[in-house]
């Protein structure tokens, strides 16, 4: 699906990504200033470690997934984006969004849930992933995986899955957890840089 990318598409995506990161940095700095005026009752889990003002990698990768969904998916009902990265946050292994096959029509077969005919974002990211590199792989996806995608994720030996919104069917999340894959909703984790001991 990425064969149709043009240099202009790449420039637009990089510009949108840079603007999103700038917005995250600005919001994070303002939140840090606001916390200085809050009493101890407002101190939450994020303050258990020293906060140095940087946007967490969790937010960086999830924003990238959201941009893929918003900027590339042609599904009018549900736009999903997915990013697979190394656990040390130094490499991007795969990108994907829900859409047609390479060169296929950019219109869903149906607007009914589950019948769009589009390839899911997780699958598109997984088929592009470099599995020759023996590195722990983490997936960030805008919506929690369906049951079928969960099976692919397990077989691909993804170490952890972070999602932003819940899919209508949470059986995929339950399967991932039962298979021993750390799975968490973004709102339930710390969004500031701190040791990622939960995925070790």
């Amino acid at each position: 699906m990425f064969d149709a990318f043009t240099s202009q598409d790449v420039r637009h995506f990089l510009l949108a990504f840079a603007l999103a990161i700038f917005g995250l940095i600005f919001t994070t700095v303002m939140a840090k200033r606001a916390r200085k005026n809050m009493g101890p009752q407002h101190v939450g889990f994020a303050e258990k470690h020293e906060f140095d003002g940087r946007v967490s990698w969790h937010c960086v990768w999830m924003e990238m997934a959201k941009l893929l969904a918003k900027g590339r998916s042609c599904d009018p009902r549900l736009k999903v984006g997915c990013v697979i990265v190394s656990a040390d946050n130094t490499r991007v292994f795969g990108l994907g969004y829900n859409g047609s096959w390479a060169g296929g029509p950019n219109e869903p077969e149906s607007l009914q849930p589950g019948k769009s005919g589009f390839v899911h974002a997780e699958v598109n990211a997984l088929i592009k992933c470099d599995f020759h590199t023996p590195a722990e792989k983490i997936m960030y996806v805008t919506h929690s995986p369906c049951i079928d995608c969960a099976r692919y994720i397990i077989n691909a030996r993804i170490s952890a899955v972070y999602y932003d919104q819940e899919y209508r069917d949470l059986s995929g999340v339950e399967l991932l957890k039962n298979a021993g894959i750390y799975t968490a909703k973004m709102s339930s984790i710390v969004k500031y840089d701190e040791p990622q001991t939960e995925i070790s």
Side-chain angles (χ1 to χ4, degrees):
M1 296 180 66
F2 286 86
D3 295 340
F5 273 19
T6 65
S7 58
Q8 186 175 12
D9 289 333
V10 174
R11 287 196 298 270
H12 286 169
F13 178 78
L14 290 176
L15 176 60
F17 185 58
L19 290 174
I21 295 303
F22 175 81
L24 279 173
I25 293 173
F26 177 80
T27 303
T28 303
V29 170
M30 296 303 293
K32 180 183 178 183
R33 291 179 179 177
R35 280 198 298 275
K36 290 182 179 179
N37 298 322
M38 294 180 178
Q41 69 273 16
H42 298 284
V43 177
F45 185 72
E47 282 70 32
K48 289 184 179 179
H49 298 277
E50 183 179 356
F51 173 55
D52 61 6
R54 296 184 296 170
V55 175
S56 77
W57 283 111
H58 288 307
C59 287
V60 170
W61 302 131
M62 187 58 75
E63 284 301 313
M64 193 172 185
K66 289 179 180 179
L67 278 170
L68 279 169
K70 182 178 179 180
R72 296 298 303 177
S73 175
C74 293
D75 192 333
R77 191 186 64 82
L78 184 65
K79 299 180 184 296
V80 183
C82 180
V83 179
I84 301 174
V85 301
S86 60
D88 61 2
N89 299 305
T90 60
R91 284 166 289 179
V92 176
F93 287 120
L95 305 173
Y97 53 89
N98 59 323
S100 189
W101 64 91
N106 291 321
E107 295 181 359
E109 296 175 2
S110 171
L111 294 179
Q112 288 184 282
K115 297 184 178 180
S116 69
F118 283 154
V119 180
H120 287 196
E122 299 95 320
V123 175
N124 273 323
L126 286 170
I127 63 177
K128 297 176 179 70
C129 192
D130 176 15
F131 289 103
H132 296 291
T133 302
E136 187 178 7
K137 296 173 177 64
I138 311 299
M139 176 180 284
Y140 291 85
V141 60
T142 55
H143 296 73
S144 60
C146 68
I147 188 70
D148 288 332
C149 286
R151 295 188 180 105
Y152 303 141
I153 292 168
I154 294 169
N155 284 359
R157 300 186 183 279
I158 300 298
S159 299
V161 176
Y162 294 96
Y163 61 92
D164 187 58
Q165 299 179 46
E166 292 181 345
Y167 186 57
R168 64 179 184 274
D169 180 4
L170 294 178
S171 58
V173 172
E174 292 302 316
L175 179 59
L176 291 172
K177 290 181 177 179
N178 290 337
I181 296 177
Y182 180 85
T183 307
K185 189 174 182 180
M186 281 290 288
S187 61
S188 69
I189 64 173
V190 177
K191 296 182 176 61
Y192 305 113
D193 274 342
E194 66 174 336
Q196 298 182 16
T197 54
E198 70 271 15
I199 59 175
S200 61

